Amino acid sequence: MKITVIYDNEAKIGLNSGWGFSCLIETVGHNILFDTGWDGHVLLANMDKLGFSPEEIDILVLSHQHWDHIGGVPTFLNMQPDVDVFIPASFSPNLKREISTSGKQADTSTFLKEMNISRNPRLFEIKMSQEICKGIYTTGELGKEIKEQSLILDSGKGLYVITGCAHPGLPAILAAASSFGNVVGIVGGLHDSQEYDLFKDMHLIGAGHCTAHKEEIRMKYPDAFVDIFAGYSVEF
């Protein structure tokens, strides 16, 4: 299992930065894109430079309905409409409709029907925590004002949590993740989170995008802390 950050406020030389977050999760059976950042053209350009093709992705997970996480959706779906899209059930009806009808015009030819080839995204609305594919779980939509889901990856040696902005707060996110096992790492935007003690048993704290207290986390956990960026990757 491997995670590669595709889109972030910071980027390594040769890639484009942009406000927002996206990462690609490679597993044995699936390639999962988590969020799309703000600008779909930046997303696709970075993917290309990192050696990834939109056609290789079969699952798209969107954390929450803020444009710095879903702005690239139309551009991505135009290149790869044949995906399963997992969204919090609280997404607006208009946005759900736009996602489910995005991408290339559906081809109703007999050949495609016989081959069972889909040309439009399949939308799955998430409310509760559940497994979305082997070894990959969603926390379910959490939070009161801002509904958000995070992903949980089972590495076989502990769980890693992928967050968009962590608006619901680390206690709620990690409580949901811990129901599946022992959390040993977290990657993504951590927003205003100051519950530093929750990181104490983690081997990896990959903080990016909207994380407000990077220096405090770095000082408390220098061995586990990583300041992530577009192009950063880690393999479990």
Side-chain angles (χ1 to χ4, degrees):
M1 187 177 293
K2 182 179 180 180
I3 299 172
T4 302
V5 177
I6 306 294
Y7 197 114
D8 191 76
N9 304 4
E10 306 294 333
K12 74 176 186 180
I13 295 175
L15 297 180
N16 298 308
S17 61
W19 182 259
F21 182 71
S22 175
C23 69
L24 180 63
I25 303 155
E26 299 173 81
T27 73
V28 173
H30 298 277
N31 290 321
I32 304 166
L33 186 66
F34 179 83
D35 286 346
T36 65
W38 178 280
D39 187 327
H41 299 291
V42 170
L43 175 78
L44 295 185
N46 283 354
M47 285 179 62
D48 181 63
K49 291 176 182 177
L50 290 167
F52 299 116
S53 168
E55 289 78 9
E56 297 172 335
I57 295 169
D58 58 327
I59 295 175
L60 172 62
V61 177
L62 301 177
S63 63
H64 63 297
Q65 196 175 314
H66 283 175
W67 284 103
D68 51 337
H69 294 262
I70 64 171
V73 167
T75 305
F76 171 76
L77 290 180
N78 189 55
M79 295 297 295
Q80 169 53 319
D82 192 16
V83 289
D84 293 336
V85 185
F86 293 83
I87 64 169
S90 57
F91 268 34
S92 73
N94 286 340
L95 188 51
K96 291 175 185 177
R97 184 165 51 251
E98 289 178 11
I99 292 173
S100 62
T101 58
S102 291
K104 300 174 183 177
Q105 184 66 36
D107 189 327
T108 58
S109 68
T110 302
F111 173 75
L112 288 181
K113 287 180 179 179
E114 290 177 349
M115 295 298 291
N116 194 30
I117 296 174
S118 171
R119 301 306 296 168
N120 286 97
R122 293 169 295 278
L123 198 62
F124 296 86
E125 299 182 29
I126 298 297
K127 291 185 178 181
M128 307 300 292
S129 60
Q130 60 188 270
E131 187 175 41
I132 65 172
C133 63
K134 185 174 176 57
I136 308 293
Y137 307 86
T138 169
T139 59
E141 61 174 9
L142 304 174
K144 295 180 179 180
E145 294 184 4
I146 301 174
K147 301 290 187 180
E148 182 174 343
Q149 66 173 329
S150 298
L151 277 188
I152 306 155
L153 317 183
D154 187 351
S155 71
K157 297 182 178 180
L159 306 178
Y160 291 83
V161 177
I162 311 299
T163 64
C165 275
H167 288 295
L170 279 180
I173 294 170
L174 294 179
S178 295
S179 68
F180 294 100
N182 182 39
V183 176
V184 298
I186 191 167
V187 175
L190 303 179
H191 206 57
D192 256 344
S193 300
Q194 298 181 58
E195 298 86 357
Y196 306 126
D197 287 348
L198 294 177
F199 298 122
K200 64 181 179 180
D201 295 321
M202 294 189 186
H203 306 315
L204 172 65
I205 309 167
H209 180 40
C210 60
T211 306
H213 304 290
K214 287 184 179 180
E215 289 309 312
E216 290 87 342
I217 301 171
R218 188 199 311 270
M219 289 177 62
K220 288 180 178 294
Y221 303 102
D223 294 334
F225 180 85
V226 176
D227 194 351
I228 64 173
F229 50 86
Y232 169 81
S233 65
V234 59
E235 191 165 356
F236 307 132

